Amino acid sequence: MSARVFVPADSGALSVGAEQVARAILAEAEQRREPVTLVRNGSRGLYWLEPMVEVETRAGRIAYGPVRAEDVPDLFAAGFLSGHSHRLGHGLTDHIPYLAGQERLTFARVGLSEPLNLADYCEQGGFVGLRRALEMPPDALIREVTDSGLRGRGGAGFPTGVKWSTVGKAVAATKYVVCNADEGDSGTFSDRMLMEGDPYCLIEGMIIAARAVGAQEGYIYSRSEYPHAFAILASAIQRAREAGYLGPDILGTGQAFDLEVRLGAGAYICGEETSMLESLEGRRGLVRFKPPLPAISGLFGQPTVINNVMSLASVPVILAKGSAFYRDYGVGRSQGTLPFQLAGNIRHGGLVEKAFGLTLNELLYDYGGGSASGRPIRAVQVGGPLGAYLPESRFDVPLDYEAYSRIDAMIGHGGIVAFDDRVDMAKMARYAMEFCAIESCGKCTPCRIGSQRGVEIIDRIVAGRERSKNLILLDSLCDTMVNGSLCALGGMAPYPVRSALQHFPADFGIDTSGIAERERTETVPSRRI
């Protein structure tokens, strides 16, 4: 009997040698004449164990990792095809605490089978939500999504059902559904993981969105840095079309919808929805003025639903199990789950899908295992390069949209980057401004010029040149960028700068020994800084 062995073909696993491991397993099996069926699945999201090899046994799948190609002969000798113990073994995959403690709704199927196997997708509950959606009137479908409490997972947290309702009410001959898959935030990878590991989930969510608003065409806008995701999506779309899930007559219902995947050049600004539309239309990625909102006049001037990957991939389970099921996860107005991504100086980096309401302490230590260096974690940036830097005193704040807003922070796309006690927060603040200066589309002055001046001012503060005056000037500049920028790039670049100043003033050369000293030598702006 052939043993089934799972080796991820996910980009993260490939980057640390999964392809070599897969070849080594096939070669060793042939040499030993031990039949093996190799399955190239998606990653389970335990990246510190990649390449993580799993073997199917009667008791369940047994995990081994991180496996190198040179470990393969030893694994065979130990009887890993039968699930026997080995120094790289971790027991039953589902019992690994990192996985067992999660609440995987969106990532429920990722890592279980071959991502492009349509039969596996259906067997694991795929397209159940779509079939229910096709039987519902569009208004009822939108109400179901609204009642679930789903909010945009791209960072803004805008209610998905409200956006869909606006597009649904718009009168136009053509409407579009656009998936923003331009995942460019530092420390984030959940979009890529899902597109590579469960592409039909995203496709199903987009078909449901099209059914809700009456759209006929859709686009997935990904980035050049994601070649594997692009190839898998293109193949999945073709297979879904051939199986009747896309095209002029979806599953014989008369509903028409088709989509294609487009590849951007990797500009960070194209993650902003109007810049993405410009790029999709074949122009340089420049921010558009609002209004009109894309829901009224979006792609090619038509009403357009724009959601990110996680928002759309959350829809199938909502339709399959009902809004009440989904709404039962989370706290307050932050309902459902979010795939948090642990990166930076962290021992167990990877993806953790949990309901809103847990804390950074739980993520960093219960799941992440503390810092990779073994030193104390001093700061964490939540929400990508425009997110605030949080000190240890904020690690117990519940991760929900409102609680984070109250501390001038944001959850964003769920990216969490940890830094140990050697980090220089003045350099990190400078990097935030420099990042904005490099990635600015250049359309508005506060972002284009403000970020350049921000770098210069921070340099003067750190150098001790007229520090009190420059602190006031930096605060004023941040106000201008927040209130005068056209989009979130310029409008949020001050968040990491202000939070670094507020929580780590000593790194900027500001004397923290006492208020009297500060008042004697400097006038530190009190607002946020």
Side-chain angles (χ1 to χ4, degrees), residues 189-201:
F189 45 83
S190 60
D191 288 0
R192 180 193 56 72
M193 264 189 70
L194 188 122
M195 290 188 288
E196 293 182 2
D198 194 12
Y200 296 119
C201 181

Side-chain angles (χ1 to χ4, degrees), residues 457 469-483 498 525 527 529:
I457 295 170
K469 290 182 179 178
N470 279 303
L471 282 168
I472 294 171
L473 183 60
L474 181 60
D475 191 46
S476 176
L477 175 68
C478 288
D479 271 346
T480 301
M481 292 179 70
V482 167
N483 298 303
R498 281 177 151 161
R527 182 176 50 202
I529 295 177

